[in-house]
């Protein structure tokens, strides 16, 4: 019997959660399984992964095959790295103390990355909220100006036509002064001829 570490789908439509299980490779996807190793919830950001580390390490060490997704999940949680280090102990390349120190350093680095991602998501959410509030305030201000412009009665400009008439009278007077010397000039020419 070939054992396989894989996912079983649970949850509702569009919000699936998965159980990480060890099952016979011939069993149905959501059918009978040998042991439940943990739960994987991809709906959260970052994804929530809760597994029984020791039991999973035992199954990986005994040679259980993994689906691609299960392999990625176990690699993310460090099961495959710990299995690799333990193989080094059996070959005599490492000691148990070295394995524990290397794995503890790896775990600390991984936890720092996850914490950095969570903080980054929090900062992005705050910045996005501030941008949305600013855009909403600008939209509200534009709407208020439009309503104010619509509700204010139109003021008829009586002074503007008066200014235009004054300007036209000044222009007419200027034209008359320029035309008068021109009229005098031909009269003066007529007198000179006479």
């Amino acid at each position: 019997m070939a054992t396989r570490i894989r996912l079983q789908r649970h949850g509702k439509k569009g919000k699936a959660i998965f159980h990480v299980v060890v099952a016979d490779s011939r069993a149905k996807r959501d059918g009978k399984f040998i042991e439940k190793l943990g739960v994987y919830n991809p709906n959260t950001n970052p994804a929530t992964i809760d597994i029984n580390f020791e039991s999973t390490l035992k199954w990986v060490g005994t040679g259980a095959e993994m689906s691609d997704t299960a392999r990625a999940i176990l690699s993310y949680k460090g099961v495959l790295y710990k299995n690799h280090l333990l193989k080094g102990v059996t070959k005599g390349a490492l000691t148990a103390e070295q394995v524990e120190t290397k794995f503890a350093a790896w775990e600390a680095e991984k936890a720092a990355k996850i914490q950095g991602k969570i903080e980054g998501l929090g900062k992005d959410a705050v910045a996005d909220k501030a941008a949305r509030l600013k855009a909403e305030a600008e939209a509200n201000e534009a709407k208020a100006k439009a309503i104010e412009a619509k509700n204010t009665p139109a003021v008829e400009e009586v002074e503007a036509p008066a200014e235009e008439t004054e300007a036209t009278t000044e222009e007419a007077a200027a034209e008359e002064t320029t035309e008068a010397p021109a009229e005098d000039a031909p009269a003066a020419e007529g007198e000179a001829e006479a």
Side-chain angles (χ1 to χ4, degrees):
M1 171 173 90
T3 57
R4 188 165 174 85
I5 299 174
R6 62 184 184 195
L7 302 178
Q8 276 190 345
R9 189 182 195 282
H10 294 277
K12 64 182 185 177
K13 181 178 178 181
K15 297 285 185 181
I17 61 169
F18 299 92
H19 292 182
V20 180
V21 296
V22 176
D24 183 358
S25 61
R26 298 168 291 182
K28 295 179 181 178
R29 179 193 75 179
D30 298 336
K32 189 184 285 187
F33 59 89
I34 299 169
E35 184 180 353
K36 179 180 171 185
L37 300 175
V39 178
Y40 166 60
N41 183 3
N43 300 314
T44 60
N45 192 5
T48 306
I49 302 171
D50 182 33
I51 61 169
N52 183 343
F53 194 86
E54 295 303 321
S55 181
T56 307
L57 186 61
K58 178 185 73 105
W59 280 104
V60 170
T62 57
E65 296 177 4
M66 293 169 270
S67 67
D68 292 337
T69 309
R71 181 180 304 278
I73 290 169
L74 298 182
S75 176
Y76 180 82
K77 292 303 280 185
V79 175
L80 298 181
Y81 182 62
K82 181 95 178 226
N83 184 49
H84 171 72
L85 293 175
L86 291 176
K87 283 183 182 177
V89 171
T90 58
K91 292 179 181 179
L94 296 170
T95 64
E97 294 81 24
Q98 290 175 328
V99 167
E100 291 305 319
T101 55
K102 284 187 173 193
F103 189 70
W106 181 88
E107 275 185 323
E109 182 181 338
K110 186 71 169 180
K113 284 183 184 178
I114 293 170
Q115 189 61 33
K117 180 178 182 179
I118 291 170
E119 290 172 0
L121 290 172
K123 289 177 184 176
D124 291 345
V126 169
D128 183 45
K129 184 176 180 180
R132 284 187 285 123
L133 286 174
K134 183 179 178 184
E136 185 177 350
E138 290 173 357
N140 288 342
E141 185 177 323
K143 286 179 186 177
K145 285 181 180 178
I147 291 171
E148 183 181 336
K150 181 180 177 183
N151 291 339
T152 356
V155 178
E156 295 182 22
E157 297 181 11
V158 180
E159 297 175 16
E163 291 174 1
E164 290 177 7
T165 55
E166 290 176 1
T168 51
T169 54
E170 289 175 4
E171 290 174 3
E175 288 176 6
E176 289 176 7
T177 57
T178 55
E179 290 176 8
E183 292 174 2
D184 291 340
E189 290 175 9
E191 290 176 3
E193 290 176 11

